[in-house]
Amino acid sequence: MEPFDPAELPELLKLYYRRLFPYAQYYRWLNYGGVVKNYFQHREFSFTLKDDIYIRYQSFNNQSDLEKEMQKMNPYKIDIGAVYSHRPNQHNTVKLGAFQAQEKELVFDIDMTDYDDVRRCCSSADICSKCWTLMTMAIRIIDRALKEDFGFKHRLWVYSGRRGVHCWVCDESVRKLSSAVRSGIVEYLSLVKGGQDVKKKVHLSENVHPFVRKSISIIKKYFEGYALVGQDILENKESWDKILALVPENILSQDHFYVSLQYNEKGDHFNFQKHHSSLQRWEYLKKAASQCPSNIKNEKCGPWLEWEIMLQYCFPRLDINVSKGINHLLKSPFSVHPKTGRISVPIDLQKVDQFDPFAVPTISSICHELDAIFTSEAEKEENQAESDIKHRTRDYKKTSLAPYVKVFEQFLENLDKSRKGELLKKSDLQKDF
Amino acid sequence: MRTTRAGVGGRKVSGRDLRASRFRFRFYKKSPATREGGCQTLCVVEFAVVAGNKMEFSGVKRRKPWLIGDQRKASYPHSLQFYLQPPSENISLIEFENLAIDRLKLLKSVENLGVSYVKGTELYQSKLEAEIRRLKFSYRESLEDEYEPRRKDHISHFILRLAYCQSEDLRRWFIQQEMDLLRFRFSILPKDKIQSFLQDSHLHFEAISEEEKNLREQEIIASSTSLGGPKLELEYVYKIPFADALDLFRGRKVYLENGFAYVPLKDIVAIILNEFRAKLSKALALTARSLPAVQSDERLQPLLNHLSHSYIGQDYSIQGNAGKISLDQIDSLSTKSFPPCMRQLHKALRENHHLRHGGRMQYGLFLKGIGLTLEQALQFWKQEFIKGKMDPDKFDKGYSYNIRHSFGKEGKRTDYTPFSCLKIILTNPPSQGDYHGCPFRHSDPELLKQKLQSYKITPGGISQILDLVKGTHYQVACQKYFEMTHNSRDPDLDNRRLLTACPVLGMYALPTMPTVGTIFKDIVLREQCVVETAWMVYMTGRRDLESSLEDGGTEAS
């Protein structure tokens, strides 16, 4: 893959927006079949230009208007906001208080930085194949809940370009949800609570809600590979002390607990070391944690502690502020990440386990690919302008961007199908043939 | 609409639609020749809250014929309701008041019981039921001929909305008590009646079938904390869109599947109450916006103000005021904060070093009400009287006894309350050499005008006040005076001003002091048409105020 140099962005973006950005599909998405008048025209976009110039309240009349503007301004970053009551680019002409955000997709932002307390391989903006599993688990858990519990049908998962993933839920009814309900949904999906000063972030009650139970079974599939092998969370004293810190005092102080772990807290010599792999230590820990303490009342006997540890290390962490505001702006799919050069591409849910963020094309790589093809073809063409138009619609297909656009198109197909189904239902009711 | 009295008081407010399609209020008065049950005037009130574009407009001028038999049952099929539709029949002003008072009594009981007993316990339930029954409101589904109580319940709720929409505090209180009342009624609703009640209330909660329940039994039990153990067969479970169960699903207290929440009966109550609260809150906001139309009608204005004044939130008693002012503050307070009647009394006292009996009673009780202690009062009066060359011994013998008596330290030990406005206006008019009474009532208009000018009221304000005086609206004139002399737009001040047009005290509450509500009788003279409204407004547990006011201050010295 061609190395990415941020200095080249202006040139690369020029090419990207002229030849590669999938405008047709993009417009098809945000227009939502044109069912609601001015839905696209009232949508807010924001652009971040060169030198960090940020402009809000951008709006466009149609697809070609969008294209022209994007090609003219060459934005480094594109964000999508809400659908407002009026055209955002005319918001200053509207009477005070009348300009309101009305609808928007329900969005989620999962960021690897939020897991810094539980991942040992990387920190901050860095990611690697070892900790990427956290995203995989997050996608599986959240997507299952959105689909099976909430009944949401149109969910688009997108790689953010650096260290996380976004989810766009685009069902018609969902776009109309109030801020309160959106907050409620995030609350429903939240289990890990507390910041830096809180050691134990997950507390389960005796009654385990089906959502929690199903999430745990998903985590179980990955736990061994991710946590015990990849992260090796019981590798040494430093790392397993962190886990033991999650065990409540009254269990920790029980004799039988130490016996199970064969851990002698007094000296340096302890038998936990005997079991060399995290896997084996985990087995012991599980057993110790689930034993019923004889003299402690009100203590749950069973796998709760084990689950709490698993959840703290693996359960998704959502940023509520991103999801609850109807007017919140979120990075657009197919936007470029200015630091990594990677394109924010849709993730194929059927192949989520195989998704590799390092295989995602960068803007330099696809431009390079395009150049290679284009130069060879253009030699054959006389009329440059003609070839421009002819090729534009098929250009991205010749690059590594193609499969991702295909995922996007599948998502759009489903939206269309749904919409047609709804219209049919409505016309049936009205007996409108 | 027939208005047979053209004089003051015969008013017609028709079709005034202040906010487009919001509130329509019609009010008119029939000839006094029609009598009903002892009241001398039949006043007809008809109100309809208009929601959205739906116009609820009744052109009926006559009283609706009594509904009979099945018609009655059909109009109120349940013992409880969500009050979605406002009443549209005609009732007399007397009934209007009585319904309002009764419901107020009920809501106060609801509040009291709610703090004295744990809600939902047997004791609470039985006491609340007894109270509802006593006040003749509806509560039980299965009783026969519940038309009257249900109708009463319906109308009284809407009347109280008018009074309780006016401030955030009032709304909160009203909503809280109504919710508790609804919760109780719902709790005694037979299970098989629930479905039809929900349907009739346009709430789309469907109970799911046995099979559906069995399929999800484990999940539902695991999700709902209110279910104790595997007793699902006995419970109804309702399937509702998840967004309608926000408070349940956000805390993962309900099972969600495919966008629906499967809510057991116990939890459905919480949802219903939330729905109710949201709807009522919205309705109150709407009503508040339309309120100016109602308040501008001076028949209803005192009615509604007094209703809402009965709840002040705390027991503001005179004792609470004691010791809050010092004697040297009185001079400045008299010009800045006293009502004109007290201002004039104070001035006269300072000038003449003396006041006659009527003046001493009126002013003395006022001073007590604003916080003077017995010691301070004795000092105050003695100092002043001595300046008038009175013998200190004579003061001790003749006057101090009375002062102590009015503080409840002598005789039958009644702690007298200050005079109400109406007592001042209607009884014991001043004669030459007297300075008590109500300046707006008892002063010659020319003299009043001069006085107001000397108080630096603007000419516009003075003419407004004089108009009100001409229309015998003395208390409103006094309120106007208050407005003119207090520029503050402090809403709290406004509320306190509105709180009691009656006790002179309340109107001029000093900023540091709470206001005092009280019980009073309101007799308004409107030319030859007498509308007698008997108001019994309760302060929580202050029934003794009632009796004290009956003879307040009439004890001979």
Side-chain angles (χ1 to χ4, degrees), chain B residues 426-442:
Chain B
L426 296 167
T427 61
N428 196 20
S431 30
Q432 193 59 29
D434 283 333
Y435 294 89
H436 63 263
C438 171
F440 300 101
R441 170 75 174 87
H442 297 122

Side-chain angles (χ1 to χ4, degrees), chain B residues 416-478:
Chain B
Y416 293 106
T417 53
F419 288 9
S420 65
C421 270
L422 287 123
K423 193 180 178 81
I424 296 173
I425 290 172
L426 296 167
T427 61
N428 196 20
S431 30
Q432 193 59 29
D434 283 333
Y435 294 89
H436 63 263
C438 171
F440 300 101
R441 170 75 174 87
H442 297 122
S443 284
D444 173 47
E446 264 312 303
L447 284 176
L448 179 62
K449 184 172 176 184
Q450 282 174 21
K451 206 175 283 180
L452 292 173
Q453 282 166 343
S454 76
Y455 292 163
K456 309 277 192 344
I457 312 285
T458 64
I462 292 179
S463 68
Q464 273 185 47
I465 290 175
L466 291 177
D467 280 347
L468 289 166
V469 165
K470 220 195 296 189
T472 73
H473 308 308
Y474 310 114
Q475 284 160 269
V476 185
C478 202

Side-chain angles (χ1 to χ4, degrees), chain A residues 148-152 184-185 187-188 190-191 207-211, chain B residues 219 221-224 242 246 249-250 252 254-259:
Chain A
E148 293 174 10
D149 296 0
F150 289 100
F152 298 156
I185 294 173
E187 265 185 70
Y188 177 89
S190 299
L191 268 176
N207 241 14
V208 175
H209 190 275
F211 164 75
Chain B
E219 275 88 349
I221 294 175
S223 323
S224 304
F242 81 91
L246 178 58
F249 84 76
R250 74 185 327 165
R252 280 192 303 272
V254 70
Y255 174 58
L256 287 189
E257 189 190 305
N258 208 26

Side-chain angles (χ1 to χ4, degrees), chain B residues 194-307:
Chain B
I194 292 179
Q195 192 70 69
S196 67
F197 166 64
L198 292 177
Q199 241 165 324
D200 290 340
S201 312
H202 306 293
L203 285 173
H204 305 286
F205 299 168
E206 272 177 55
I208 58 173
S209 65
E210 276 308 303
E211 304 126 44
E212 292 210 45
K213 234 202 297 176
N214 292 334
L215 276 172
R216 300 169 177 84
E217 188 164 350
Q218 285 309 310
E219 275 88 349
I220 297 176
I221 294 175
S223 323
S224 304
T225 46
S226 62
L227 293 171
K231 288 186 291 179
L232 203 58
E233 323 89 53
L234 305 169
E235 290 277 337
Y236 278 92
V237 173
Y238 294 84
K239 177 177 162 181
I240 68 175
F242 81 91
D244 290 342
L246 178 58
D247 280 337
L248 286 177
F249 84 76
R250 74 185 327 165
R252 280 192 303 272
K253 295 201 171 65
V254 70
Y255 174 58
L256 287 189
E257 189 190 305
N258 208 26
F260 287 95
Y262 287 81
V263 189
L265 183 62
K266 281 205 187 72
D267 293 332
I268 262 287
V269 186
I271 296 177
I272 288 174
L273 286 172
N274 263 334
E275 272 280 314
F276 177 68
R277 181 205 323 198
K279 284 202 168 81
L280 186 54
S281 189
K282 226 173 178 176
L284 287 175
L286 211 67
T287 311
R289 286 214 292 275
S290 329
L291 206 56
V294 180
Q295 277 189 326
S296 66
D297 188 302
E298 69 257 8
R299 273 185 196 278
L300 287 194
Q301 180 200 37
L303 251 82
L304 297 175
N305 278 345
H306 300 153
L307 270 178

Side-chain angles (χ1 to χ4, degrees), chain B residues 5 71 74 81 130 146 194 292 298 301 303 322 348 394 460 506 513:
Chain B
R5 286 274 167 223
Q71 281 182 310
Q81 58 162 300
E146 279 280 292
I194 292 179
E298 69 257 8
Q301 180 200 37
L303 251 82
K394 184 174 179 204
M513 285 202 270

